[in-house]
Structures are given as C-alpha cells and as structure tokens.
Amino acid sequence: MLTKTLCPHCGNSFLAEPKDSGGATCPQCRSFVPTDGAVHQPLSAPPEVHQTPPPEVYAVPASVDPGAPRFDPTTPPPSYVRGERLVRGVIFGAVAAVAFGTFFGAGTAAIRLTLPLLGGIVTGIVTGIVVRHGFGGRSVPSTRGRASSAAAFCAALGLTASLAGGWTVERWTGDRAPTTQRDLSSGLKSLQARRAQTVDASDRATLDYRIREVHRLQSLTDAQIEDYLWVQQARIAQPLVAYAWNRVKNGPLVRLGPEGRTVYLGGDYGTAAGWGLDFLLVMWLATRGVRPLLVRERRRRYEAF
C-alpha cells in the first residue's frame, strides 16, 4: 500500500511503499524516511533561495520640487564673494562709500577743514565695514583677491565722491564772486570807453562781443561765477571735473578753518602726491576690513602644520 511521505531532510513529498525495515528511501536526497502512515514534518526548514533585494526607492514629498537644487556633501561651501553675494557686497559698498564720501567732503568744505589722510582713514574704515557686511563676513584665503578688489574699488569711489561733496558746498560758500563782480564792472567801463573812441569796424565788433560777454557774466549767480573761475583755471569745460583738477593739483594740502593756517605745496605735483597717498591709504584700509584677521590666519596655519 502506497503512503504519502514527506522527507524531513529536503522537504520532498513522495509516495512510497513501506518496506520490511519500516521506511522508504527519498528519491531526491536518498535519505531513509520512516513510513508509519503519518506525514512527518521536516526537522528543519528547507533552504531558502537567496535573491538580490530590490533597490530602495525614496519617494519625494509632494511639497518638494523634484527639479530644485539639493545639498551635495561633496561640493565645497559657497563663498560669499561669488554670485549674488559679490554683487550685493559691491552694491552696498559703493552706495555707502559714495554717500559717506559726499557728506564727508561737504562737511569738511563747509567748515573750511582740509587735513591730509583724514578723508582716507575715515572713508577706508567705513567702506571696509559696509562691504564686509554686504559679503556676509571676512574673506578666506581662496577668495581674498576678489574681496580685496571689490573693497578697493568701492573705497576709491568714496574718496572721489568727497571731491563732489566739496564742490557742491564750495560753489555756494566761495568768496571770489564779489571780487569778480567788481573786476567785471571796472572792465566794462574800460571796454565802453575804448568802444566810444574806436573808429575801425572790426575793432568795434570785437569790443561789442566782449561787452556782451561781460554783461552775461554779470548776470550769473555767485555759484555760477565760482564754476566759471574753476573752468578758466583748469581749462576744462565741465565745472565738477575742473574743480577736482584744481583741488588735486593746486589746492591747499592743509586748511584749518577760515581763520586757520593754509599750507600750499610748491610745484605741480606736491598736493597730487598727497592725494595719491590718500588713495592708497583708503584702499588699503578697505581691503583690510574684508580680509581675514592676522591672528586667525596664523592660528589656522599653525593648526594645519
């Protein structure tokens, strides 16, 4: 009589006829299996078939844009002098330097104060602080060049703006207009006397033109007369540029109030050299404001060593 038997070794189920020994041989693993009429359970679980697990798939939340940039730990951190931070630092620094330079130049011109290196020191410190705030902090060795260039550019704009502030005030507070008006009145009388005694037609036309020019100058305001005098001295048609040229080339190096001491340097390059040193100072102070501190840099080099 055939009996359904389950091999406890390999888990194979088969029909076997009991032998005299009371068992049967498994056709798969050739093991002896007792056949007592009961279905024997395997002594151990059948060997599992090892399969490669499917790859894990991470679902993106619905609120997150799949095309949005994600954090990559292999990329270096963004520097504050790249991209939008560089633009922001330059814009903030330029606006602050121009505004402060204009007010500083106007204020010192109003009180008749001119001191060498004073404008460079103050403007350089202020510009360095504002540019560093726009960048987000001090630079690192890898970005020191870009940060220093941006700060020096903004500082140069600030010192140049101080000349514009001085021109704005000095054209209204200048004291040369009354003297010029008196000279124009005496010159007009002399031209009219010569016009009355001249017989030649070409000479009379030239005198008429000069008389009309004197009348035009007499109708100018005090500020316009100051601009006219600067233009005549520098031989430049633009009043602001003419004032800056006269201030840098022939202006006083030191002036302490309306009743104070005024120092003029002889030659054509004395005051210009002072302004050149002022430009170098303001750019150096601005770059020091954004560059890393010497103590931190030395400590970093010591730790790296």
Side-chain angles (χ1 to χ4, degrees):
M1 173 178 155
L2 297 176
T3 305
K4 185 178 181 181
T5 305
L6 180 65
C7 179
H9 302 284
C10 65
N12 181 30
S13 178
F14 61 96
L15 295 176
E17 184 177 359
K19 298 180 180 181
D20 296 339
S21 60
T25 303
C26 177
Q28 182 171 348
C29 65
R30 312 305 295 175
S31 301
F32 178 77
V33 180
T35 56
D36 53 357
V39 178
H40 297 274
Q41 300 295 331
L43 298 178
S44 61
E48 297 181 357
V49 180
H50 296 280
Q51 299 179 356
T52 303
E56 298 181 357
V57 180
Y58 298 94
V60 180
S63 59
V64 179
D65 185 10
R70 301 178 183 178
F71 172 73
D72 186 3
T74 61
T75 59
S79 173
Y80 58 82
V81 293
R82 296 178 184 171
E84 72 281 358
R85 291 190 176 183
L86 175 62
V87 175
R88 183 180 61 186
V90 172
I91 291 177
F92 283 10
V95 171
V98 170
F100 179 81
T102 302
F103 283 107
F104 182 83
T108 53
I111 60 177
R112 301 293 181 89
L113 177 65
T114 300
L115 291 176
L117 307 181
L118 175 63
I121 293 174
V122 180
T123 306
I125 294 175
V126 173
T127 304
I129 293 174
V130 176
V131 174
R132 183 178 64 202
H133 175 72
F135 284 163
R138 292 183 178 270
S139 64
V140 293
S142 61
T143 60
R144 184 183 305 168
R146 289 186 291 270
S148 300
S149 300
F153 172 75
C154 296
L157 288 180
L159 194 58
T160 305
S162 64
L163 292 172
W167 169 74
T168 304
V169 172
E170 287 196 26
R171 69 191 303 264
W172 293 101
T173 59
D175 52 359
R176 298 182 297 176
T179 305
T180 305
Q181 290 287 2
R182 290 193 296 268
D183 294 339
L184 290 174
S185 299
S186 61
L188 179 60
K189 295 179 181 180
S190 176
L191 290 175
Q192 290 175 346
R194 291 177 55 187
R195 171 65 173 77
Q197 298 175 1
T198 301
V199 179
D200 186 70
S202 61
D203 293 341
R204 297 183 64 175
T206 303
L207 292 173
D208 289 339
Y209 172 77
R210 296 177 63 181
I211 290 173
R212 289 194 301 268
E213 184 67 16
V214 171
H215 283 296
R216 185 188 68 83
L217 293 176
Q218 286 181 334
S219 63
L220 298 178
T221 61
D222 293 348
Q224 291 174 340
I225 290 178
E226 293 289 339
D227 291 341
Y228 172 77
L229 295 176
W230 287 323
V231 167
Q232 292 296 315
Q233 291 176 2
R235 300 183 182 275
I236 300 175
Q238 216 287 328
L240 176 57
V241 179
Y243 168 81
W245 176 262
N246 289 321
R247 179 67 183 85
V248 172
K249 185 178 179 181
N250 302 318
L253 183 65
V254 178
R255 182 171 55 189
L256 302 176
E259 302 297 335
R261 183 184 178 188
T262 301
V263 177
Y264 290 89
L265 295 181
D268 296 335
Y269 303 103
T271 307
W275 273 93
L277 293 176
D278 213 4
F279 266 96
L280 293 178
L281 177 64
V282 67
M283 290 188 290
W284 182 81
L285 289 175
T287 55
R288 287 307 309 165
V290 298
R291 293 178 63 183
L293 294 175
L294 293 177
V295 177
R296 296 180 182 177
E297 188 174 357
R298 291 175 180 174
R299 182 181 301 174
R300 180 188 61 80
R301 293 179 179 178
Y302 176 77
E303 293 176 354
F305 178 77

